[in-house]
Amino acid sequence: MGKGLKFGLSLALSAGILALVFHAADSSAAEVARAVAAMGLGAWAAYAAAQLLQGWLRAVRYRLLLAGAGVAPLPGRGRMFGVTLARNMFVDMLPARSGELAYWALLNRGEGVRSADCVSSMTISILFDFLALAAVLAAAVAVPAVEAGGRVALLWGAGAVLAAVAVGGVLLIRGPGWAAALAARLPARARRWRVLSWLEEFMEKLAVSFQQVRGGGVLWKAAALSVGIRA
């Protein structure tokens, strides 16, 4: 596919997304443009700076987790920042955080990082995002402006997120090892299937990657970065 065609398709896709946004908002392009212009240059500058800072902190966290998994050579800081910004765009554009898979694809295809290490850094980051969200919700309870009913709702929300993090943490970190052990007990005939053979090998590599990250002493640093990203 030529560069001109790619550029034309990108413009068409962007125009289509904008049209859907305007249709969903039941507003014209002129009304949206006036609302955007009314925000002022200072608000736009602050928003852009906050987005870039958040992206940089995410890139640092990803790189920290990849280093903990033993990835060598590590992607450069600039390259990691570019991958993170692309990941942020896809997460905002696609539903149910399916855009996270763009991080896996870009890092694996573009930077040559093993799939198991891509998945381990991606899933641990998602887990820490929810953990940081629970911490932010719990901290919001102390805000004087929050009413009693609001405090209860925030506490319930923080508790639900923490429960999801606990279950998700066990499944993500221990699950690959359990899946590999289960696959090893399957009949020899079933284990010769290409899909099952690939899945068993991938789960073993993923379990090793998780183990290396846990033993590398980087989890607390990644958790601290996650709170900064959410804040």
Side-chain angles (χ1 to χ4, degrees):
M1 185 182 295
K3 291 184 178 180
L5 182 56
K6 288 182 179 179
F7 182 70
L9 288 174
S10 298
L11 285 179
L13 180 61
S14 299
I17 292 173
L18 286 175
L20 288 174
V21 169
F22 291 148
H23 178 73
D26 195 23
S27 301
S28 66
E31 290 173 334
V32 174
R34 284 195 295 270
V36 169
M39 290 178 62
L41 184 60
W44 276 108
Y47 172 78
Q51 289 297 309
L52 290 174
L53 177 60
Q54 186 195 63
W56 180 254
L57 290 175
R58 284 188 184 277
V60 172
R61 183 181 64 181
Y62 283 136
R63 203 164 181 269
L64 184 66
L65 292 172
L66 290 173
V71 173
L74 280 172
R77 290 178 174 83
R79 302 277 291 183
M80 201 72 234
F81 186 47
V83 168
T84 304
L85 290 181
R87 170 259 174 207
N88 292 348
M89 179 189 69
F90 280 105
V91 168
D92 290 339
M93 186 173 63
L94 300 176
R97 297 193 70 129
S98 57
E100 294 280 2
L101 298 176
Y103 166 82
W104 179 0
L106 290 169
L107 206 57
N108 178 251
R109 295 293 184 178
E111 303 300 324
V113 179
R114 291 191 320 163
S115 288
D117 296 326
C118 295
V119 172
S120 69
S121 61
M122 179 182 71
T123 51
I124 291 174
S125 294
I126 294 173
L127 190 67
F128 280 166
D129 280 343
F130 282 102
L131 186 61
L133 176 61
V136 171
L137 289 175
V141 175
V143 177
V146 179
E147 298 179 356
R151 293 177 194 274
V152 173
L154 288 173
L155 282 174
W156 273 106
V161 174
L162 280 175
V165 168
V167 175
V170 172
L171 292 177
L172 289 176
I173 295 176
R174 298 295 184 185
W178 293 341
L182 179 62
R185 296 185 179 182
L186 293 175
R189 181 181 301 177
R191 294 183 65 193
R192 285 197 293 267
W193 293 351
R194 181 174 299 180
V195 174
L196 285 179
S197 176
W198 175 87
L199 185 60
E200 180 182 357
E201 182 181 0
F202 179 75
M203 287 298 173
E204 288 175 350
K205 291 179 179 177
L206 186 57
V208 170
S209 184
F210 277 131
Q211 185 177 3
Q212 288 177 325
V213 173
R214 292 200 307 272
V218 301
L219 290 181
W220 286 110
K221 295 179 182 178
L225 284 169
S226 300
V227 174
I229 290 168
R230 282 295 176 184

